Amino acid sequence: MKLAVVAFLLLLCFLSCHHSAYSGEKKLFTSIISFGDSYADTGNLARWEDPVLESLNLRSPPYGETFFGHPSGRATNGRIVLDFIADALGLPFVPPVLAKGQNFSMGVNLAVAGAPALNLTYLQGQNITLEIPINSSLNDQLRWFEKMKPSLCSNKTPGSSDCFGESLFIMGQFGGNDYINILINSNMTLEQARSYVPEIVNTISNGVERLIHHGAKYIVVADIIPVGCLPITLAMRPSSNAADYDRYGCLKSFNAGLSQHQNALLRRRVEALRERYPHAKIAFAEHYRPVVAFLQDPDRLGFNSSTTLVSCCGGGGPYNQNWEAPCGKPGATACAAPSKAIYWDDVHLTESAYSYIAQGWLHGPYADPPILHLVN
């Protein structure tokens, strides 16, 4: 047990200090351009000006308490996967596109917490109620990128067609908010949610292809977390049948019908894109497998085995998930040791969990190929 904790601490040290290895040599990438939802947002939703977001909980403590010491716009207690990747590559944290006065020459983050893969108007036309009804979908993020492309390329060689030849693009995850809006906010069935999987995968694939047409050469495409293991799913869609749960306590049908189904289809689409565009280097990065690894052997990875599916920050109730007192609202508190928790709130992981995933994306085994091997 002690050796496992030491190994985990060494991993965190590696991730926080690894950028120094690139300080005296040419960087693999000169910038990072990111798209996604709350698993990738570094502050866009927190800066979004809309009356519907006046009481946005991630603007309040204890969000950000572990690393930043204050809410940073990230939906966790500290850093996310994107932060660890940027640091390891010797780049600054990727600034949100809505940050005023920022220099985006070394990267821009277009991800927005709550963003679905599918468009707002389309989802509303399907009678799906969105918790955050704003235009922040994947297509919206791609339009923002296309609008700012001239400024991103302004410092490149005049006339060059290789504006993004040394940029790392990160696509996703996408899909989780679509399913939560369908299942939780709209109270639809699992079968209804599953029917949208092919369209979500098609939207992601088309988005990747769109980036390639804009000159993207190095792209990381992320899969989706196990929806059936989320505290919000477990608390809001419980089953009285013990057979519906796997040995970790997750709802099997939600994982198989949504996450595994989407991930399998998305992997096949990535393989097809690799064949169609052999000049592009496309990595398939995983959220699903590392989360399962946390549940399989939490003690070895430094997590508390008695609270693997319990939110660290919440207001009580099953899985510490209270719809009336979510994290960041009065009545909710954070656990004493967030570093030992897998889930920070009802949907998001802790900094500790994100750091482990980032390691797997950078060096393997949770990215094919690993990010540090994308450049030959």
Side-chain angles (χ1 to χ4, degrees), residues 102 153 164 188 243 290 293 338 371:
Q102 282 286 335
C153 296
F164 300 116
M188 294 183 177
I371 290 173

Side-chain angles (χ1 to χ4, degrees), residues 68-345:
F68 299 97
H70 57 81
S72 69
R74 294 160 175 79
T76 186
N77 59 310
R79 291 161 290 184
I80 59 175
V81 171
L82 182 62
D83 296 319
F84 288 107
I85 289 174
D87 195 52
L89 295 175
L91 295 170
F93 288 166
V94 186
V97 67
L98 295 182
K100 296 178 181 178
Q102 282 286 335
N103 180 352
F104 298 122
S105 63
M106 288 189 285
V108 60
N109 190 7
L110 302 113
V112 182
L118 305 177
N119 293 339
L120 171 65
T121 52
Y122 172 79
L123 291 170
Q124 290 178 328
Q126 299 288 307
N127 294 318
I128 295 169
T129 301
L130 276 75
E131 182 180 5
I132 305 177
I134 59 176
N135 289 305
S136 61
S137 71
L138 172 54
N139 282 325
D140 293 308
Q141 295 177 29
L142 287 167
R143 282 197 294 270
W144 303 338
F145 163 72
E146 289 165 347
K147 185 177 180 179
M148 69 186 306
K149 180 181 176 181
S151 64
L152 294 176
C153 296
S154 62
N155 62 342
K156 306 295 181 181
T157 303
S160 172
S161 60
D162 194 23
C163 174
F164 300 116
E166 295 182 321
S167 297
L168 178 66
F169 287 78
I170 302 180
M171 173 65 75
Q173 69 169 18
F174 278 104
N177 290 306
D178 302 75
Y179 303 134
I180 289 174
N181 286 317
I182 293 167
L183 294 167
I184 308 299
N185 299 316
S186 306
N187 200 31
M188 294 183 177
T189 66
L190 175 60
E191 290 70 27
Q192 287 173 305
R194 180 182 168 88
S195 69
Y196 289 93
V197 171
E199 192 166 357
I200 288 171
V201 170
N202 190 56
T203 299
I204 298 169
S205 176
N206 288 343
V208 174
E209 194 164 18
R210 201 158 149 185
L211 291 176
I212 293 173
H213 290 319
H214 281 293
K217 183 178 179 181
Y218 302 104
I219 308 171
V220 176
V221 181
D223 78 355
I224 192 174
I225 41 80
V227 172
C229 300
L230 292 175
I232 190 172
T233 308
L234 294 166
M236 303 301 291
R237 301 299 292 265
S239 173
S240 58
N241 186 352
D244 290 339
Y245 296 86
D246 64 20
R247 57 179 172 149
Y248 311 118
C250 303
L251 286 162
K252 293 187 290 188
S253 60
F254 288 84
N255 282 344
L258 297 177
S259 301
Q260 293 175 13
H261 184 37
Q262 173 172 322
N263 294 342
L265 292 181
L266 185 59
R267 186 182 284 272
R268 287 201 288 270
R269 291 299 290 270
V270 166
E271 292 170 354
L273 288 169
R274 287 169 176 164
E275 292 184 6
R276 191 177 310 158
Y277 303 101
H279 67 282
K281 308 295 183 181
I282 308 174
F284 186 84
E286 299 175 272
H287 288 101
Y288 192 99
R289 273 206 307 149
V291 170
V292 171
F294 301 155
L295 301 175
Q296 285 176 331
D297 200 354
D299 289 329
R300 183 178 64 84
L301 298 174
F303 297 111
N304 186 338
S305 59
S306 64
T307 59
T308 53
L309 298 175
V310 177
S311 301
C312 171
C313 183
Y319 306 95
N320 198 27
Q321 199 286 313
N322 185 342
W323 198 259
E324 301 299 324
C327 185
K329 294 294 185 181
T333 57
C335 62
S339 64
K340 294 185 176 297
I342 296 171
Y343 289 98
W344 167 248
D345 58 18

Side-chain angles (χ1 to χ4, degrees), residues 41-55:
D41 188 1
T42 54
N44 281 316
L45 187 66
R47 290 171 170 80
W48 199 288
E49 296 181 1
D50 194 302
V52 76
L53 301 176
E54 285 182 359
S55 60

